[in-house]
């Protein structure tokens, strides 16, 4: 069994330890971090080595892909709004204005969410990066805009 002694293993004590100083795998606890196991000194088995978090490039790409997906939805919604604004009657124009506002909100929200996630990934913060409230708020706002459209369509008919 070989020991990973490259620069990716950083000692908790603040200096780099070599294999000659008596490093070995901690046999008491088989905890590992990624593919690099924690390392303990023979004279102090409770001491653990801090290993920096490696962020895979696919994490950044997944964040960008999610951002582009939100923008794709906003563009489709904006196209629908533009069609209603140009070719609709009075009720269609009001609905088009509502959908335009929702599309602009989605674009701004997507940018803020992308920047927030990118900053947390850069800082290597732990924790979930998922968005639990955004899609729910979007669906509620879209349902409200559609209901206003139906209400105005049947009242003004």
């Amino acid at each position: 069994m070989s020991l990973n002694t490259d620069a990716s293993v950083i000692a908790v004590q603040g200096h780099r330890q070599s294999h000659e100083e008596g490093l070995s795998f901690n046999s008491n606890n088989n905890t590992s971090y990624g593919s690099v196991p924690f390392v303990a000194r023979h004279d102090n088995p409770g001491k653990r080595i801090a290993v920096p978090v490696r962020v895979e490039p696919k994490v950044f790409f997944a964040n960008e892909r999610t951002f582009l997906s939100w923008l794709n939805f906003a563009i489709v919604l904006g196209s629908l709004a533009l069609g209603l604004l140009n070719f609709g009657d009075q009720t269609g124009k009001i609905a088009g204005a509502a959908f335009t506002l929702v599309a602009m909100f989605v674009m701004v929200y997507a940018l803020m969410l992308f920047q927030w996630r990118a900053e947390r990934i850069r800082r290597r913060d732990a924790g979930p990066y998922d968005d639990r409230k955004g899609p729910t708020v979007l669906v509620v706002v879209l349902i409200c805009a559609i209901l206003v459209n139906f209400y105005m369509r049947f009242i003004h008919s």
Side-chain angles (χ1 to χ4, degrees):
M1 188 178 287
S2 67
L3 179 65
N4 184 1
T5 58
D6 65 353
S8 67
V9 178
I10 302 169
V12 171
Q13 294 89 353
H15 65 279
R16 185 181 162 112
Q17 299 173 350
S18 67
H19 183 65
E20 292 82 24
E21 289 180 323
L23 288 175
S24 67
F25 290 111
N26 188 357
S27 60
N28 297 337
N29 189 354
N30 293 331
T31 306
S32 66
Y33 191 84
S35 62
V36 180
F38 285 111
V39 181
R41 292 185 51 104
H42 284 293
D43 58 348
N44 191 357
K47 194 67 97 165
R48 293 188 180 238
I49 303 299
V51 179
V53 177
R54 174 166 161 65
V55 178
E56 298 285 330
K58 66 181 179 181
V59 175
F60 292 104
F61 294 138
N63 186 27
E64 185 175 347
R65 192 171 50 245
T66 305
F67 173 64
L68 292 175
S69 176
W70 277 94
L71 285 184
N72 184 25
F73 174 75
I75 289 172
V76 168
L77 188 61
S79 299
L80 172 74
L82 187 64
L84 286 172
L85 286 172
N86 285 330
F87 303 113
D89 56 352
Q90 185 63 26
T91 304
K93 289 182 181 185
I94 293 172
F99 287 135
T100 300
L101 292 175
V102 173
M104 290 189 313
F105 168 74
V106 168
M107 286 185 209
V108 170
Y109 179 75
L111 180 63
M112 289 174 34
L113 189 64
F114 173 75
Q115 293 293 337
W116 175 76
R117 284 181 180 152
E119 182 60 30
R120 289 190 66 179
I121 292 169
R122 256 191 243 90
R123 288 187 306 189
R124 297 181 174 143
D125 287 346
Y129 299 140
D130 57 342
D131 181 20
R132 295 183 185 264
K133 296 178 182 152
T136 306
V137 170
L138 175 66
V139 167
V140 168
V141 169
L142 279 175
I143 288 174
C144 289
I146 291 169
L147 289 176
V148 166
N149 184 20
F150 282 138
Y151 175 75
M152 292 182 65
R153 178 69 59 192
F154 292 122
I155 293 299
H156 289 281
S157 293

